[in-house]
Amino acid sequence: MVGWLVAAAGIVLFHAALTITLRANATTRLPFYRNAEIVPPGSVVLRSVGAGLIVLGAVLLSTEALYWPFVIILAGPIAALAVITWHNRKIAARRTT
């Protein structure tokens, strides 16, 4: 149970950092493999702590769950990549209209 809570807290923090970054860069594209143009204060710390908690939650779950640790570790970043892709497409659509 503790593993689930730790992993959930990590995912929430990770995505809170992404939300803060998206709001700060509302009119610019977000690169996938480097920092955005505007890096809001605290977003890197939130992202780091969130990623650490996700990994810790997966480690704690590895003793009681067979495949859930892999799902947890992959779900957060895959969702983040989907949101960044959606954001970049929205920015590109605004520029063409």
Side-chain angles (χ1 to χ4, degrees):
M1 184 67 172
V2 173
W4 287 108
L5 294 174
V6 171
I11 290 172
V12 167
L13 290 177
F14 191 82
H15 286 281
L18 178 60
T19 302
I20 292 169
T21 304
L22 287 172
R23 287 184 181 157
N25 293 278
T27 59
T28 58
R29 292 177 45 102
L30 288 181
F32 285 102
Y33 300 111
R34 52 193 164 93
N35 284 333
E37 283 185 36
I38 301 169
V39 179
S43 68
V44 174
V45 172
L46 274 177
R47 196 175 341 153
S48 301
V49 171
L53 287 175
I54 291 170
V55 172
L56 177 62
V59 168
L60 293 172
L61 279 173
S62 67
T63 60
E64 58 188 65
L66 186 60
Y67 60 88
W68 281 108
F70 300 111
V71 172
I72 290 170
I73 287 177
L74 292 176
I78 288 173
L81 289 174
V83 169
I84 292 171
T85 301
W86 173 76
H87 171 80
N88 288 343
R89 285 185 181 172
K90 187 172 76 169
I91 297 301
R94 278 190 205 155
R95 289 184 180 165
T96 59
T97 56

